[in-house]
Amino acid sequence: MKVLITGGAGFIGSTFASACLDQDIEPIVLDNLSTGRREFVEGRTFYRGDIGDAELIDRIFADHPDIHATVGCAAKIIVPESVAEPVMYYRENVTKGLSLVESLLRNGCTRFVFSSSAAIYASGQGITEDSPITPGSPYARTKAVFEGALHDITGGTDLRAVSLRYFNPIGADPKFRSGLQVSKPTHALGVMIDKYLAGEPFPVTGTDWETRDGTGVRDYVHVWDLARAHIHAVKDFDRILPAGRGGYLPVNLGSGTGATVLELIKAFETVTGKALAHEIVGPRPGDVAGAYADITRAIQLLGWTPELSIEQGIADALTWMERRTLMLSGDS
Protein backbone atom coordinates (compact mmCIF):
# COMPACT_ATOMS: atom_id res chain seq x y z
CA MET A 1 0.00 0.00 0.00
CA LYS A 2 1.16 3.53 -0.82
CA VAL A 3 0.01 6.72 0.90
CA LEU A 4 0.67 10.27 -0.28
CA ILE A 5 1.54 12.49 2.71
CA THR A 6 1.51 16.23 2.08
CA GLY A 7 3.55 18.10 4.66
CA GLY A 8 5.34 14.82 5.29
CA ALA A 9 8.57 16.53 6.39
CA GLY A 10 6.88 18.25 9.34
CA PHE A 11 6.28 17.10 12.90
CA ILE A 12 3.01 15.20 12.44
CA GLY A 13 3.56 14.19 8.82
CA SER A 14 7.03 12.75 9.35
CA THR A 15 5.90 10.80 12.41
CA PHE A 16 3.02 9.31 10.43
CA ALA A 17 5.42 8.47 7.60
CA SER A 18 7.61 6.59 10.09
CA ALA A 19 4.55 4.71 11.37
CA CYS A 20 3.74 3.80 7.75
CA LEU A 21 7.19 2.32 7.25
CA ASP A 22 6.79 0.29 10.44
CA GLN A 23 3.50 -1.07 9.02
CA ASP A 24 4.94 -1.90 5.57
CA ILE A 25 3.07 1.03 4.02
CA GLU A 26 5.13 3.09 1.57
CA PRO A 27 4.93 6.84 2.28
CA ILE A 28 5.14 9.15 -0.73
CA VAL A 29 6.11 12.50 0.76
CA LEU A 30 5.34 15.93 -0.67
CA ASP A 31 6.67 18.97 1.18
CA ASN A 32 7.92 22.39 0.15
CA LEU A 33 10.32 22.46 3.16
CA SER A 34 9.12 25.90 4.23
CA THR A 35 8.93 24.54 7.77
CA GLY A 36 9.54 20.81 7.25
CA ARG A 37 12.99 19.31 7.43
CA ARG A 38 14.92 17.49 4.71
CA GLU A 39 16.47 15.32 7.44
CA PHE A 40 13.00 13.88 8.11
CA VAL A 41 12.62 12.52 4.57
CA GLU A 42 16.01 10.90 4.08
CA GLY A 43 15.61 7.46 2.53
CA ARG A 44 11.95 8.10 1.70
CA THR A 45 10.26 8.77 -1.63
CA PHE A 46 10.22 12.57 -1.60
CA TYR A 47 8.94 15.30 -3.89
CA ARG A 48 9.84 18.87 -3.02
CA GLY A 49 7.03 21.18 -3.99
CA ASP A 50 3.72 22.78 -3.19
CA ILE A 51 0.27 21.26 -2.74
CA GLY A 52 -1.03 23.97 -5.05
CA ASP A 53 1.20 22.80 -7.92
CA ALA A 54 -1.28 20.81 -10.01
CA GLU A 55 1.35 19.64 -12.50
CA LEU A 56 3.48 18.23 -9.70
CA ILE A 57 0.50 16.42 -8.16
CA ASP A 58 -0.30 14.92 -11.57
CA ARG A 59 3.32 13.76 -11.90
CA ILE A 60 3.24 12.12 -8.48
CA PHE A 61 0.16 10.13 -9.44
CA ALA A 62 1.67 9.28 -12.82
CA ASP A 63 4.72 7.93 -10.98
CA HIS A 64 2.59 6.18 -8.36
CA PRO A 65 -0.85 5.33 -9.79
CA ASP A 66 -1.40 2.84 -6.96
CA ILE A 67 -1.59 5.47 -4.19
CA HIS A 68 -4.31 4.24 -1.84
CA ALA A 69 -5.07 7.48 0.01
CA THR A 70 -3.83 11.00 0.63
CA VAL A 71 -3.14 12.37 4.10
CA GLY A 72 -3.11 16.17 4.17
CA CYS A 73 -0.70 17.46 6.82
CA ALA A 74 0.56 20.52 4.92
CA ALA A 75 -0.50 23.76 6.60
CA LYS A 76 0.60 26.95 8.25
CA ILE A 77 -0.13 26.58 11.98
CA ILE A 78 1.28 29.53 13.99
CA VAL A 79 -1.58 31.48 15.59
CA PRO A 80 0.20 34.87 16.05
CA GLU A 81 1.52 34.66 12.49
CA SER A 82 -2.02 34.00 11.25
CA VAL A 83 -3.21 37.17 13.00
CA ALA A 84 -0.42 39.19 11.38
CA GLU A 85 -0.72 37.57 7.93
CA PRO A 86 -4.29 36.29 7.47
CA VAL A 87 -4.18 36.50 3.68
CA MET A 88 -1.22 34.14 3.57
CA TYR A 89 -3.01 31.70 5.88
CA TYR A 90 -6.13 31.62 3.74
CA ARG A 91 -4.02 31.20 0.61
CA GLU A 92 -1.88 28.38 2.05
CA ASN A 93 -4.49 26.52 4.09
CA VAL A 94 -7.66 27.05 2.07
CA THR A 95 -6.91 28.07 -1.51
CA LYS A 96 -4.04 25.64 -1.99
CA GLY A 97 -5.91 22.97 -0.06
CA LEU A 98 -8.77 23.23 -2.53
CA SER A 99 -6.30 23.00 -5.41
CA LEU A 100 -4.98 19.78 -3.87
CA VAL A 101 -8.50 18.34 -3.58
CA GLU A 102 -9.17 19.23 -7.22
CA SER A 103 -5.96 17.44 -8.20
CA LEU A 104 -6.92 14.38 -6.16
CA LEU A 105 -10.30 14.15 -7.85
CA ARG A 106 -8.73 14.60 -11.28
CA ASN A 107 -6.39 11.69 -10.54
CA GLY A 108 -9.09 9.45 -9.13
CA CYS A 109 -7.83 9.48 -5.54
CA THR A 110 -11.02 9.69 -3.50
CA ARG A 111 -9.71 8.78 -0.03
CA PHE A 112 -8.56 11.84 1.91
CA VAL A 113 -7.50 12.10 5.56
CA PHE A 114 -7.24 15.73 6.69
CA SER A 115 -5.11 16.97 9.57
CA SER A 116 -7.49 19.32 11.34
CA SER A 117 -7.36 20.91 14.77
CA ALA A 118 -9.31 21.18 18.01
CA ALA A 119 -8.59 24.92 17.77
CA ILE A 120 -11.86 25.15 15.86
CA TYR A 121 -13.77 24.52 19.13
CA ALA A 122 -14.44 26.81 22.06
CA SER A 123 -13.07 25.77 25.44
CA GLY A 124 -14.98 23.08 27.27
CA GLN A 125 -14.85 19.65 28.83
CA GLY A 126 -15.79 16.49 26.98
CA ILE A 127 -15.96 18.20 23.57
CA THR A 128 -17.66 16.05 20.93
CA GLU A 129 -17.50 16.39 17.17
CA ASP A 130 -20.94 18.03 17.32
CA SER A 131 -19.80 20.77 19.70
CA PRO A 132 -20.08 24.32 18.32
CA ILE A 133 -17.41 25.42 15.85
CA THR A 134 -16.10 28.74 17.17
CA PRO A 135 -12.55 29.31 15.90
CA GLY A 136 -10.67 31.96 17.83
CA SER A 137 -7.93 32.87 15.34
CA PRO A 138 -7.41 33.17 11.59
CA TYR A 139 -5.43 29.90 11.73
CA ALA A 140 -8.31 28.05 13.39
CA ARG A 141 -10.81 29.63 11.03
CA THR A 142 -8.90 28.39 7.98
CA LYS A 143 -9.19 24.87 9.39
CA ALA A 144 -12.91 25.32 9.95
CA VAL A 145 -13.44 26.84 6.51
CA PHE A 146 -11.58 24.02 4.82
CA GLU A 147 -13.53 21.43 6.79
CA GLY A 148 -16.73 23.12 5.60
CA ALA A 149 -15.47 22.91 2.04
CA LEU A 150 -14.70 19.21 2.46
CA HIS A 151 -18.21 18.63 3.78
CA ASP A 152 -19.69 20.27 0.68
CA ILE A 153 -17.28 18.63 -1.78
CA THR A 154 -17.87 15.15 -0.39
CA GLY A 155 -21.58 15.78 -0.73
CA GLY A 156 -21.34 16.42 -4.45
CA THR A 157 -18.40 14.32 -5.67
CA ASP A 158 -16.85 10.90 -5.09
CA LEU A 159 -14.37 12.35 -2.60
CA ARG A 160 -14.51 10.83 0.88
CA ALA A 161 -12.82 12.64 3.74
CA VAL A 162 -11.97 11.91 7.38
CA SER A 163 -10.97 15.02 9.35
CA LEU A 164 -8.83 14.18 12.36
CA ARG A 165 -9.14 16.99 14.88
CA TYR A 166 -5.96 16.94 16.98
CA PHE A 167 -5.88 18.34 20.45
CA ASN A 168 -2.34 19.00 21.83
CA PRO A 169 0.41 16.78 20.33
CA ILE A 170 3.45 16.12 22.51
CA GLY A 171 6.40 13.75 22.46
CA ALA A 172 8.32 12.47 19.45
CA ASP A 173 8.67 9.37 17.33
CA PRO A 174 9.68 6.70 19.89
CA LYS A 175 12.62 5.74 17.62
CA PHE A 176 13.56 9.45 17.39
CA ARG A 177 13.58 9.56 13.62
CA SER A 178 11.87 12.96 13.93
CA GLY A 179 10.25 15.33 16.40
CA LEU A 180 9.37 18.99 16.79
CA GLN A 181 11.64 20.81 14.38
CA VAL A 182 11.50 24.18 16.16
CA SER A 183 14.10 24.80 18.87
CA LYS A 184 11.80 26.78 21.18
CA PRO A 185 8.20 25.53 20.97
CA THR A 186 5.62 27.86 22.52
CA HIS A 187 3.13 25.32 23.87
CA ALA A 188 3.02 24.63 27.63
CA LEU A 189 5.32 21.61 27.63
CA GLY A 190 7.83 23.36 25.37
CA VAL A 191 7.94 26.37 27.68
CA MET A 192 8.21 24.03 30.68
CA ILE A 193 11.24 22.29 29.17
CA ASP A 194 12.88 25.63 28.32
CA LYS A 195 12.39 26.94 31.86
CA TYR A 196 13.59 23.67 33.38
CA LEU A 197 16.78 23.66 31.32
CA ALA A 198 17.38 27.34 32.08
CA GLY A 199 16.78 26.90 35.81
CA GLU A 200 13.94 29.43 35.73
CA PRO A 201 10.46 29.11 37.26
CA PHE A 202 7.65 27.97 35.01
CA PRO A 203 4.73 30.44 35.00
CA VAL A 204 1.32 29.03 35.99
CA THR A 205 -1.10 31.46 34.37
CA GLY A 206 -4.10 31.60 36.67
CA THR A 207 -5.46 29.41 39.45
CA ASP A 208 -9.12 30.44 39.45
CA TRP A 209 -10.36 28.60 36.38
CA GLU A 210 -13.38 26.31 36.66
CA THR A 211 -11.32 23.13 36.54
CA ARG A 212 -10.59 20.39 39.07
CA ASP A 213 -7.67 22.28 40.63
CA GLY A 214 -8.21 25.82 39.36
CA THR A 215 -5.45 25.76 36.74
CA GLY A 216 -6.05 25.60 33.00
CA VAL A 217 -6.65 22.22 31.38
CA ARG A 218 -5.31 20.98 28.03
CA ASP A 219 -5.71 17.66 26.28
CA TYR A 220 -2.25 16.23 25.55
CA VAL A 221 -1.90 13.32 23.13
CA HIS A 222 1.35 11.62 22.16
CA VAL A 223 2.28 12.24 18.53
CA TRP A 224 2.86 8.50 18.06
CA ASP A 225 -0.73 7.85 19.14
CA LEU A 226 -1.80 10.41 16.53
CA ALA A 227 0.27 8.54 13.94
CA ARG A 228 -1.43 5.29 14.96
CA ALA A 229 -4.83 6.93 14.47
CA HIS A 230 -3.82 7.86 10.92
CA ILE A 231 -2.82 4.24 10.28
CA HIS A 232 -6.26 3.10 11.44
CA ALA A 233 -7.95 5.71 9.24
CA VAL A 234 -5.97 4.73 6.14
CA LYS A 235 -6.23 0.97 6.57
CA ASP A 236 -9.93 0.98 7.48
CA PHE A 237 -10.98 3.85 5.24
CA ASP A 238 -13.40 1.85 3.09
CA ARG A 239 -15.09 0.41 6.17
CA ILE A 240 -15.41 3.82 7.78
CA LEU A 241 -16.61 5.56 4.61
CA PRO A 242 -17.69 3.00 1.98
CA ALA A 243 -16.98 3.84 -1.65
CA GLY A 244 -19.62 5.04 -4.06
CA ARG A 245 -21.40 7.73 -2.11
CA GLY A 246 -18.86 10.27 -0.93
CA GLY A 247 -18.97 11.03 2.76
CA TYR A 248 -17.37 13.21 5.42
CA LEU A 249 -16.46 12.30 9.01
CA PRO A 250 -14.77 14.46 11.68
CA VAL A 251 -13.02 12.59 14.52
CA ASN A 252 -11.52 13.99 17.72
CA LEU A 253 -8.08 12.74 18.75
CA GLY A 254 -7.03 13.40 22.33
CA SER A 255 -6.53 11.75 25.70
CA GLY A 256 -10.21 11.96 26.61
CA THR A 257 -9.39 13.37 30.05
CA GLY A 258 -6.97 16.26 29.71
CA ALA A 259 -4.42 17.45 32.23
CA THR A 260 -4.35 20.63 34.27
CA VAL A 261 -1.21 22.72 34.51
CA LEU A 262 -0.53 21.41 38.01
CA GLU A 263 -1.01 17.84 36.79
CA LEU A 264 1.41 18.51 33.94
CA ILE A 265 3.96 19.82 36.44
CA LYS A 266 3.52 16.70 38.59
CA ALA A 267 4.00 14.45 35.56
CA PHE A 268 7.11 16.43 34.57
CA GLU A 269 8.55 15.99 38.07
CA THR A 270 7.81 12.25 37.92
CA VAL A 271 9.78 11.96 34.68
CA THR A 272 12.76 14.08 35.72
CA GLY A 273 12.85 13.02 39.37
CA LYS A 274 13.29 16.66 40.29
CA ALA A 275 11.03 19.40 41.58
CA LEU A 276 10.04 21.92 38.92
CA ALA A 277 10.27 25.50 40.09
CA HIS A 278 7.09 27.35 39.20
CA GLU A 279 5.31 30.57 40.06
CA ILE A 280 1.70 31.65 40.01
CA VAL A 281 1.03 34.59 37.68
CA GLY A 282 -2.11 36.15 36.30
CA PRO A 283 -3.90 34.91 33.19
CA ARG A 284 -2.60 36.21 29.88
CA PRO A 285 -4.89 38.11 27.48
CA GLY A 286 -6.95 35.58 25.59
CA ASP A 287 -6.35 32.73 28.07
CA VAL A 288 -9.24 30.32 28.61
CA ALA A 289 -9.94 27.49 31.03
CA GLY A 290 -9.10 25.03 28.28
CA ALA A 291 -10.63 21.92 26.83
CA TYR A 292 -10.41 18.18 26.44
CA ALA A 293 -11.96 15.77 24.00
CA ASP A 294 -14.67 13.18 24.03
CA ILE A 295 -13.00 10.44 21.96
CA THR A 296 -15.96 8.05 21.76
CA ARG A 297 -16.12 8.32 17.98
CA ALA A 298 -12.43 7.50 17.57
CA ILE A 299 -12.87 4.45 19.80
CA GLN A 300 -16.00 3.21 18.06
CA LEU A 301 -15.25 4.00 14.41
CA LEU A 302 -11.46 3.96 14.19
CA GLY A 303 -10.92 1.31 16.82
CA TRP A 304 -8.34 3.68 18.32
CA THR A 305 -7.49 4.62 21.87
CA PRO A 306 -4.39 6.48 23.07
CA GLU A 307 -1.80 4.09 24.51
CA LEU A 308 1.07 6.36 25.59
CA SER A 309 0.90 8.32 28.84
CA ILE A 310 1.56 12.00 29.35
CA GLU A 311 4.71 10.96 31.22
CA GLN A 312 5.92 9.10 28.12
CA GLY A 313 5.19 12.18 26.01
CA ILE A 314 7.25 14.33 28.37
CA ALA A 315 10.11 11.82 28.44
CA ASP A 316 10.20 11.56 24.65
CA ALA A 317 10.06 15.35 24.26
CA LEU A 318 13.03 15.73 26.63
CA THR A 319 15.02 13.05 24.82
CA TRP A 320 14.23 14.62 21.44
CA MET A 321 15.41 18.05 22.63
CA GLU A 322 18.75 16.46 23.59
CA ARG A 323 19.09 14.76 20.19
CA ARG A 324 17.62 17.50 18.04
CA THR A 325 20.78 19.54 17.55
CA LEU A 326 22.69 16.40 16.60
CA MET A 327 20.14 15.38 13.98
CA LEU A 328 19.22 18.75 12.48
CA SER A 329 21.78 20.86 10.67
CA GLY A 330 20.31 24.16 11.83
CA ASP A 331 17.18 25.78 13.17
CA SER A 332 14.19 25.93 10.86
Side-chain angles (χ1 to χ4, degrees), residues 183-184 190-200 268 272 274 276 317-318 321-322:
S183 59
K184 289 189 174 293
V191 174
M192 189 173 289
I193 291 173
D194 275 349
K195 296 296 185 182
Y196 170 75
L197 295 176
E200 300 173 357
F268 193 92
T272 62
K274 299 178 182 178
L276 178 72
L318 284 166
M321 288 302 291
E322 294 173 356

PDB file of all heavy atoms in Angstrom, residues 183-184 190-200 268 272 274 276 317-318 321-322:
ATOM      1  N   SER A 183      13.224  24.920  17.700  1.00  0.00           N
ATOM      2  CA  SER A 183      14.098  24.799  18.871  1.00  0.00           C
ATOM      3  C   SER A 183      13.433  25.304  20.143  1.00  0.00           C
ATOM      4  O   SER A 183      13.774  24.868  21.243  1.00  0.00           O
ATOM      5  CB  SER A 183      15.399  25.567  18.639  1.00  0.00           C
ATOM      6  OG  SER A 183      15.133  26.935  18.395  1.00  0.00           O
ATOM      7  N   LYS A 184      12.469  26.223  20.003  1.00  0.00           N
ATOM      8  CA  LYS A 184      11.802  26.779  21.181  1.00  0.00           C
ATOM      9  C   LYS A 184      10.282  26.766  20.964  1.00  0.00           C
ATOM     10  O   LYS A 184       9.679  27.783  20.652  1.00  0.00           O
ATOM     11  CB  LYS A 184      12.286  28.204  21.462  1.00  0.00           C
ATOM     12  CG  LYS A 184      13.724  28.258  21.990  1.00  0.00           C
ATOM     13  CD  LYS A 184      14.083  29.644  22.457  1.00  0.00           C
ATOM     14  CE  LYS A 184      15.461  29.655  23.107  1.00  0.00           C
ATOM     15  NZ  LYS A 184      15.491  28.891  24.359  1.00  0.00           N
ATOM     16  N   GLY A 190       6.616  22.782  25.917  1.00  0.00           N
ATOM     17  CA  GLY A 190       7.833  23.362  25.370  1.00  0.00           C
ATOM     18  C   GLY A 190       8.391  24.451  26.266  1.00  0.00           C
ATOM     19  O   GLY A 190       9.603  24.514  26.522  1.00  0.00           O
ATOM     20  N   VAL A 191       7.505  25.317  26.769  1.00  0.00           N
ATOM     21  CA  VAL A 191       7.939  26.374  27.682  1.00  0.00           C
ATOM     22  C   VAL A 191       8.464  25.758  28.983  1.00  0.00           C
ATOM     23  O   VAL A 191       9.475  26.210  29.539  1.00  0.00           O
ATOM     24  CB  VAL A 191       6.769  27.344  27.974  1.00  0.00           C
ATOM     25  CG1 VAL A 191       7.164  28.354  29.044  1.00  0.00           C
ATOM     26  CG2 VAL A 191       6.346  28.064  26.697  1.00  0.00           C
ATOM     27  N   MET A 192       7.779  24.701  29.442  1.00  0.00           N
ATOM     28  CA  MET A 192       8.209  24.030  30.678  1.00  0.00           C
ATOM     29  C   MET A 192       9.618  23.475  30.536  1.00  0.00           C
ATOM     30  O   MET A 192      10.455  23.632  31.433  1.00  0.00           O
ATOM     31  CB  MET A 192       7.208  22.917  31.012  1.00  0.00           C
ATOM     32  CG  MET A 192       7.407  22.290  32.381  1.00  0.00           C
ATOM     33  SD  MET A 192       6.064  21.120  32.782  1.00  0.00           S
ATOM     34  CE  MET A 192       4.702  22.257  33.047  1.00  0.00           C
ATOM     35  N   ILE A 193       9.903  22.840  29.399  1.00  0.00           N
ATOM     36  CA  ILE A 193      11.237  22.290  29.165  1.00  0.00           C
ATOM     37  C   ILE A 193      12.274  23.408  29.107  1.00  0.00           C
ATOM     38  O   ILE A 193      13.363  23.303  29.688  1.00  0.00           O
ATOM     39  CB  ILE A 193      11.251  21.451  27.873  1.00  0.00           C
ATOM     40  CG1 ILE A 193      10.421  20.177  28.063  1.00  0.00           C
ATOM     41  CG2 ILE A 193      12.682  21.095  27.469  1.00  0.00           C
ATOM     42  CD1 ILE A 193      10.234  19.370  26.787  1.00  0.00           C
ATOM     43  N   ASP A 194      11.943  24.504  28.413  1.00  0.00           N
ATOM     44  CA  ASP A 194      12.878  25.630  28.325  1.00  0.00           C
ATOM     45  C   ASP A 194      13.209  26.181  29.709  1.00  0.00           C
ATOM     46  O   ASP A 194      14.377  26.439  30.036  1.00  0.00           O
ATOM     47  CB  ASP A 194      12.275  26.741  27.459  1.00  0.00           C
ATOM     48  CG  ASP A 194      12.520  26.523  25.983  1.00  0.00           C
ATOM     49  OD1 ASP A 194      13.318  25.637  25.635  1.00  0.00           O
ATOM     50  OD2 ASP A 194      11.900  27.231  25.169  1.00  0.00           O
ATOM     51  N   LYS A 195      12.174  26.384  30.523  1.00  0.00           N
ATOM     52  CA  LYS A 195      12.387  26.941  31.858  1.00  0.00           C
ATOM     53  C   LYS A 195      13.184  25.970  32.735  1.00  0.00           C
ATOM     54  O   LYS A 195      14.070  26.383  33.498  1.00  0.00           O
ATOM     55  CB  LYS A 195      11.033  27.260  32.514  1.00  0.00           C
ATOM     56  CG  LYS A 195      10.234  28.344  31.807  1.00  0.00           C
ATOM     57  CD  LYS A 195      10.939  29.690  31.837  1.00  0.00           C
ATOM     58  CE  LYS A 195      10.069  30.778  31.235  1.00  0.00           C
ATOM     59  NZ  LYS A 195      10.759  32.100  31.203  1.00  0.00           N
ATOM     60  N   TYR A 196      12.878  24.699  32.608  1.00  0.00           N
ATOM     61  CA  TYR A 196      13.589  23.668  33.382  1.00  0.00           C
ATOM     62  C   TYR A 196      15.073  23.667  33.034  1.00  0.00           C
ATOM     63  O   TYR A 196      15.937  23.659  33.923  1.00  0.00           O
ATOM     64  CB  TYR A 196      12.949  22.316  33.096  1.00  0.00           C
ATOM     65  CG  TYR A 196      13.710  21.121  33.619  1.00  0.00           C
ATOM     66  CD1 TYR A 196      13.707  20.804  34.970  1.00  0.00           C
ATOM     67  CD2 TYR A 196      14.425  20.293  32.733  1.00  0.00           C
ATOM     68  CE1 TYR A 196      14.404  19.696  35.447  1.00  0.00           C
ATOM     69  CE2 TYR A 196      15.115  19.189  33.204  1.00  0.00           C
ATOM     70  CZ  TYR A 196      15.103  18.891  34.556  1.00  0.00           C
ATOM     71  OH  TYR A 196      15.789  17.795  35.016  1.00  0.00           O
ATOM     72  N   LEU A 197      15.388  23.687  31.754  1.00  0.00           N
ATOM     73  CA  LEU A 197      16.784  23.657  31.322  1.00  0.00           C
ATOM     74  C   LEU A 197      17.515  24.944  31.697  1.00  0.00           C
ATOM     75  O   LEU A 197      18.728  24.928  31.935  1.00  0.00           O
ATOM     76  CB  LEU A 197      16.854  23.423  29.811  1.00  0.00           C
ATOM     77  CG  LEU A 197      16.339  22.061  29.320  1.00  0.00           C
ATOM     78  CD1 LEU A 197      16.378  21.989  27.794  1.00  0.00           C
ATOM     79  CD2 LEU A 197      17.147  20.917  29.926  1.00  0.00           C
ATOM     80  N   ALA A 198      16.763  26.062  31.735  1.00  0.00           N
ATOM     81  CA  ALA A 198      17.384  27.344  32.079  1.00  0.00           C
ATOM     82  C   ALA A 198      17.441  27.584  33.584  1.00  0.00           C
ATOM     83  O   ALA A 198      18.029  28.583  34.026  1.00  0.00           O
ATOM     84  CB  ALA A 198      16.612  28.484  31.404  1.00  0.00           C
ATOM     85  N   GLY A 199      16.807  26.709  34.365  1.00  0.00           N
ATOM     86  CA  GLY A 199      16.781  26.902  35.811  1.00  0.00           C
ATOM     87  C   GLY A 199      15.891  28.048  36.239  1.00  0.00           C
ATOM     88  O   GLY A 199      16.102  28.659  37.301  1.00  0.00           O
ATOM     89  N   GLU A 200      14.866  28.332  35.436  1.00  0.00           N
ATOM     90  CA  GLU A 200      13.945  29.428  35.729  1.00  0.00           C
ATOM     91  C   GLU A 200      12.571  28.865  36.091  1.00  0.00           C
ATOM     92  O   GLU A 200      12.209  27.763  35.670  1.00  0.00           O
ATOM     93  CB  GLU A 200      13.817  30.352  34.512  1.00  0.00           C
ATOM     94  CG  GLU A 200      15.133  30.991  34.081  1.00  0.00           C
ATOM     95  CD  GLU A 200      14.992  31.760  32.777  1.00  0.00           C
ATOM     96  OE1 GLU A 200      13.877  31.741  32.202  1.00  0.00           O
ATOM     97  OE2 GLU A 200      15.989  32.360  32.342  1.00  0.00           O
ATOM     98  N   PHE A 268       5.747  16.026  34.937  1.00  0.00           N
ATOM     99  CA  PHE A 268       7.108  16.429  34.573  1.00  0.00           C
ATOM    100  C   PHE A 268       8.081  16.061  35.688  1.00  0.00           C
ATOM    101  O   PHE A 268       9.179  15.540  35.434  1.00  0.00           O
ATOM    102  CB  PHE A 268       7.128  17.936  34.306  1.00  0.00           C
ATOM    103  CG  PHE A 268       8.367  18.430  33.626  1.00  0.00           C
ATOM    104  CD1 PHE A 268       8.429  18.519  32.247  1.00  0.00           C
ATOM    105  CD2 PHE A 268       9.482  18.816  34.368  1.00  0.00           C
ATOM    106  CE1 PHE A 268       9.579  18.983  31.610  1.00  0.00           C
ATOM    107  CE2 PHE A 268      10.632  19.285  33.742  1.00  0.00           C
ATOM    108  CZ  PHE A 268      10.676  19.366  32.358  1.00  0.00           C
ATOM    109  N   THR A 272      11.407  13.578  35.483  1.00  0.00           N
ATOM    110  CA  THR A 272      12.759  14.081  35.724  1.00  0.00           C
ATOM    111  C   THR A 272      13.309  13.669  37.084  1.00  0.00           C
ATOM    112  O   THR A 272      14.530  13.670  37.286  1.00  0.00           O
ATOM    113  CB  THR A 272      12.804  15.615  35.625  1.00  0.00           C
ATOM    114  OG1 THR A 272      11.954  16.179  36.645  1.00  0.00           O
ATOM    115  CG2 THR A 272      12.344  16.079  34.250  1.00  0.00           C
ATOM    116  N   LYS A 274      12.912  15.413  39.640  1.00  0.00           N
ATOM    117  CA  LYS A 274      13.294  16.663  40.293  1.00  0.00           C
ATOM    118  C   LYS A 274      12.085  17.577  40.408  1.00  0.00           C
ATOM    119  O   LYS A 274      11.176  17.535  39.574  1.00  0.00           O
ATOM    120  CB  LYS A 274      14.394  17.373  39.487  1.00  0.00           C
ATOM    121  CG  LYS A 274      15.685  16.573  39.332  1.00  0.00           C
ATOM    122  CD  LYS A 274      16.688  17.335  38.482  1.00  0.00           C
ATOM    123  CE  LYS A 274      17.962  16.533  38.285  1.00  0.00           C
ATOM    124  NZ  LYS A 274      18.939  17.267  37.416  1.00  0.00           N
ATOM    125  N   LEU A 276      10.042  20.876  39.946  1.00  0.00           N
ATOM    126  CA  LEU A 276      10.037  21.922  38.919  1.00  0.00           C
ATOM    127  C   LEU A 276       9.665  23.246  39.566  1.00  0.00           C
ATOM    128  O   LEU A 276       8.549  23.399  40.094  1.00  0.00           O
ATOM    129  CB  LEU A 276       9.040  21.590  37.817  1.00  0.00           C
ATOM    130  CG  LEU A 276       8.923  22.640  36.706  1.00  0.00           C
ATOM    131  CD1 LEU A 276      10.171  22.632  35.828  1.00  0.00           C
ATOM    132  CD2 LEU A 276       7.680  22.399  35.839  1.00  0.00           C
ATOM    133  N   ALA A 317       9.763  13.972  24.639  1.00  0.00           N
ATOM    134  CA  ALA A 317      10.063  15.353  24.265  1.00  0.00           C
ATOM    135  C   ALA A 317      11.424  15.781  24.811  1.00  0.00           C
ATOM    136  O   ALA A 317      12.201  16.453  24.123  1.00  0.00           O
ATOM    137  CB  ALA A 317       8.961  16.287  24.778  1.00  0.00           C
ATOM    138  N   LEU A 318      11.727  15.394  26.042  1.00  0.00           N
ATOM    139  CA  LEU A 318      13.025  15.729  26.631  1.00  0.00           C
ATOM    140  C   LEU A 318      14.168  15.047  25.884  1.00  0.00           C
ATOM    141  O   LEU A 318      15.197  15.668  25.597  1.00  0.00           O
ATOM    142  CB  LEU A 318      13.042  15.321  28.102  1.00  0.00           C
ATOM    143  CG  LEU A 318      12.259  16.229  29.068  1.00  0.00           C
ATOM    144  CD1 LEU A 318      12.061  15.538  30.405  1.00  0.00           C
ATOM    145  CD2 LEU A 318      12.982  17.557  29.257  1.00  0.00           C
ATOM    146  N   MET A 321      14.712  16.763  22.516  1.00  0.00           N
ATOM    147  CA  MET A 321      15.407  18.046  22.625  1.00  0.00           C
ATOM    148  C   MET A 321      16.910  17.837  22.777  1.00  0.00           C
ATOM    149  O   MET A 321      17.713  18.631  22.291  1.00  0.00           O
ATOM    150  CB  MET A 321      14.856  18.848  23.806  1.00  0.00           C
ATOM    151  CG  MET A 321      13.449  19.402  23.570  1.00  0.00           C
ATOM    152  SD  MET A 321      13.326  20.463  22.110  1.00  0.00           S
ATOM    153  CE  MET A 321      14.283  21.879  22.656  1.00  0.00           C
ATOM    154  N   GLU A 322      17.320  16.753  23.455  1.00  0.00           N
ATOM    155  CA  GLU A 322      18.747  16.460  23.588  1.00  0.00           C
ATOM    156  C   GLU A 322      19.355  16.041  22.250  1.00  0.00           C
ATOM    157  O   GLU A 322      20.506  16.361  21.955  1.00  0.00           O
ATOM    158  CB  GLU A 322      18.950  15.334  24.614  1.00  0.00           C
ATOM    159  CG  GLU A 322      18.574  15.713  26.030  1.00  0.00           C
ATOM    160  CD  GLU A 322      18.635  14.515  26.966  1.00  0.00           C
ATOM    161  OE1 GLU A 322      18.893  13.397  26.475  1.00  0.00           O
ATOM    162  OE2 GLU A 322      18.412  14.697  28.170  1.00  0.00           O
TER     163      GLU A 322
END
